[in-house]
Amino acid sequence: MQAEQTTNQEPTEHITLFAEPIHQYGSFTVTNSLLTSWIAVLVIIILALALRSKLKTVPGKLQNLFEMILEGALGMCDQVTNDRRLSMKIFPIAITVFFFILVSNWLGIMPLGGFGIVERGAEGLTFVPFLRGATADINTTLALATMAVIGANVFGVVSIGIWKTFNKYVNLKVLGGIFTKIRHEPTIIIVAPITFFVGLIEIVGEFAKIASLSFRLFGNVFAGEVLLASMAALVAYLVPIPFLFLELLVGVIQALIFSILLVVYFTIAASDHDSEHEEHTEARAEHELSSPSPL
Amino acid sequence: MDSIISTFHIDWKIIIAQALNFGVVFVVLYIFALKPLSKLMAERSQNIRKGIDDAKTNAALLSETRAEYDAAIVKAKSEADKIFQEGKKEAEQKRTIMLEDAKKEVAAMVEGGKKTLEAEKVKMVEEAKSEIVNLAMLATEKLIKSKQDLNSLS
């Protein structure tokens, strides 16, 4: 399979920060990570269809495994949201992200690095593998992180309304409150502008979320691939095996972290801070009224 | 920013392609796996819940039926006892009445016997008296006759 060009020079293999192109369709470049991503999609589709065809009231092995994963994941989702109805809304996206990242991560560490093409570049002949972990490409993690953050905000708009979501970032409500509450709370003249600027910082925070989600996943997976390649280069046999298992574990952990963070972002987006604050104030007032007077 | 883009080869076309990949995975997984599996699990949970509820209802019904059965048995026993006591009392009364009747009958029979015996006795005495009279008359006749004979002989 290794389509090696006829040359006397030995091809060199470089670990690059970016995914290498393996084919060009007009202006669209097919990279090895995109190919892995397509394979991951195919694997998930085959698994989903296999599961669908074997669905029974009394579950088989595959269905049992999926049910266990689903129940565990839903329980974990509940721990974050504290609300089963909210969990049921977020869960399909979170579990899809989990499976997509997991399969992509595991495909990336499959020992199929020997399949690829040899290209002549500026540094001579270089070997380009067909498969590279989809999440070891910043484009994939950036796509996932952007969708997660945009999805969370859309979910927030659907859950609590566009006005409340808008006020989380551009808090016009608190600015308006200066004129209505200044007589009762004079400190609002200081607190309101601070709250307004905190809202503006939240906009930056959304971009920071995209950066942290994408670079965390990319960094961990890419570091794993570098580690495996280094180990294989140092000692070809047996020694890389424990690291392969470690990377399998890292693949699960990273998929889990990304999914849980996605659930956290969706939960935060769906929570109404104002009503929570009002509820808290009301509860405090009720408590003060109901508690006996020290006099 | 440009250095980041060039270092990591950030390409918006690949980003969109990866987003599309994720979209395909989401749609397929939701339609073919998550939705039917969730539905099946929910149905199973509902069946189990229904089974537990039915078992609880059946247990309650069984306990209620057992209580009713016990109450019916106790009631039947008490009724049977009551009927037995009533029967016993009635039989006692009947026995007493029959005994009294028998006593009366016996007394009447004894009385009748006594009367018959008395009548028989009187009759016998009278018969004996008439017999004695007859015998006395016969003896007297014989004496007279024999005296006459003697007289004639003499």
Side-chain angles (χ1 to χ4, degrees):
Chain A
M1 185 70 194
Q2 191 171 331
E4 218 171 299
Q5 290 172 357
T6 48
T7 176
N8 295 329
Q9 195 186 346
E10 274 291 309
T12 54
E13 192 179 345
H14 297 289
I15 299 169
T16 53
L17 262 177
F18 50 86
E20 295 101 322
I22 51 169
H23 200 272
Q24 191 80 26
Y25 285 107
S27 63
F28 185 76
T29 310
V30 178
T31 58
N32 47 10
S33 73
L34 189 61
L35 183 67
T36 315
S37 186
W38 285 339
I39 294 169
V41 172
L42 202 68
V43 168
I44 294 171
I45 289 173
I46 290 166
L47 277 174
L49 292 176
L51 179 70
R52 180 74 186 90
S53 64
K54 287 179 181 174
L55 272 188
K56 287 174 196 165
T57 314
V58 180
K61 283 176 188 172
L62 183 70
Q63 191 181 333
N64 226 338
L65 179 74
F66 266 87
E67 283 186 12
M68 267 171 61
I69 294 170
L70 283 195
E71 279 181 3
L74 196 58
M76 212 175 270
C77 205
D78 281 341
Q79 283 180 0
V80 177
T81 60
N82 282 324
D83 181 359
R84 178 44 75 99
R85 280 192 303 171
L86 188 62
S87 296
M88 291 305 288
K89 286 177 189 168
I90 304 169
F91 183 69
I93 298 171
I95 197 78
T96 308
V97 166
F98 176 77
F99 279 126
F100 186 66
I101 295 174
L102 181 73
V103 175
S104 299
N105 287 348
W106 281 357
L107 278 176
I109 52 172
M110 272 183 76
L112 295 170
F115 295 95
I117 52 171
V118 177
E119 281 182 342
R120 186 177 292 280
E123 296 170 6
L125 291 177
T126 49
F127 174 72
V128 178
F130 279 135
L131 298 177
R132 176 193 172 105
T135 43
D137 177 10
I138 193 74
N139 289 305
T140 313
T141 57
L142 210 53
L144 289 171
T146 310
M147 281 200 308
V149 172
I150 292 173
N153 282 291
V154 171
F155 187 71
V157 169
V158 173
S159 301
I160 58 168
I162 195 161
W163 174 245
K164 282 177 181 171
T165 308
F166 178 73
N167 269 282
K168 279 184 182 176
Y169 304 115
V170 185
N171 207 335
L172 298 176
K173 207 173 167 182
V174 78
L175 284 182
I178 294 174
F179 304 106
T180 55
K181 292 177 185 172
I182 194 156
R183 284 188 183 174
H184 305 292
E185 295 175 55
T187 52
I188 199 163
I189 198 129
I190 300 163
V191 174
I194 294 170
T195 313
F196 180 78
F197 282 109
V198 167
L200 292 179
I201 291 166
E202 283 283 321
I203 298 171
V204 181
E206 293 301 296
F207 289 100
K209 277 179 192 173
I210 294 175
S212 73
L213 275 178
S214 55
F215 279 97
R216 181 190 300 110
L217 183 58
F218 165 73
N220 279 290
V221 177
F222 181 70
E225 290 204 353
V226 172
L227 176 71
L228 286 179
S230 310
M231 284 299 143
L234 286 172
V235 186
Y237 303 104
L238 290 173
V239 175
I241 292 171
F243 293 96
L244 272 169
F245 281 109
L246 180 75
E247 285 312 308
L248 282 174
L249 196 66
V250 169
V252 179
I253 291 166
Q254 288 307 317
L256 201 62
I257 288 171
F258 198 102
S259 311
I260 289 173
L261 283 172
L262 182 135
V263 175
V264 170
Y265 295 154
F266 271 66
T267 310
I268 291 168
S271 62
D272 184 3
H273 294 300
D274 287 347
S275 66
E276 274 175 21
H277 180 256
E278 279 164 17
E279 275 171 20
H280 180 69
T281 314
E282 278 171 17
R284 198 174 56 188
E286 274 176 22
H287 177 73
E288 279 169 6
L289 283 171
S290 61
S291 60
S293 169
L295 296 171
Chain B
M1 190 70 181
D2 286 340
S3 66
I4 292 173
I5 291 170
S6 63
T7 309
F8 290 102
H9 283 219
I10 294 171
D11 184 353
W12 63 269
K13 286 177 190 168
I14 293 176
I15 291 175
I16 290 171
Q18 294 288 18
L20 278 174
N21 282 346
F22 176 76
V24 170
V25 170
F26 176 70
V27 170
V28 170
L29 211 59
Y30 185 71
I31 293 172
F32 292 106
L34 294 175
K35 204 177 170 184
L37 198 62
S38 300
K39 195 181 164 191
L40 196 78
M41 283 164 76
E43 277 175 6
R44 195 190 297 139
S45 299
Q46 203 178 347
N47 283 343
I48 291 167
R49 214 174 296 128
K50 192 174 173 286
I52 291 168
D53 287 347
D54 283 352
K56 277 181 186 170
T57 313
N58 286 344
L61 203 68
L62 183 71
S63 135
E64 203 177 306
T65 311
R66 188 163 289 169
E68 274 177 16
Y69 167 79
D70 288 345
I73 291 287
V74 168
K75 195 181 170 187
K77 270 186 184 172
S78 107
E79 270 179 18
D81 195 43
K82 197 178 164 187
I83 289 167
F84 174 72
Q85 291 301 333
E86 278 176 4
K88 199 176 169 183
K89 200 176 168 184
E90 208 172 310
E92 196 71 28
Q93 279 174 349
K94 275 187 180 174
R95 183 173 159 268
T96 313
I97 291 164
M98 280 171 78
L99 207 64
E100 277 174 8
D101 286 351
K103 274 181 183 173
K104 278 178 188 172
E105 220 166 288
V106 167
M109 279 172 78
V110 169
E111 197 64 28
K114 273 183 182 173
K115 277 179 183 172
T116 311
L117 203 66
E118 199 66 30
E120 285 289 319
K121 192 180 162 187
V122 171
K123 197 181 165 186
M124 276 175 72
V125 169
E126 278 177 5
E127 276 178 5
K129 272 181 185 174
S130 73
E131 196 74 23
I132 291 166
V133 169
N134 286 338
L135 284 170
M137 281 175 78
L138 276 173
T140 311
E141 268 177 22
K142 277 183 181 175
L143 267 170
I144 294 165
K145 201 177 172 183
S146 59
K147 219 166 195 180
Q148 279 173 348
D149 286 344
L150 281 171
N151 287 337
S152 57
L153 284 169
S154 51

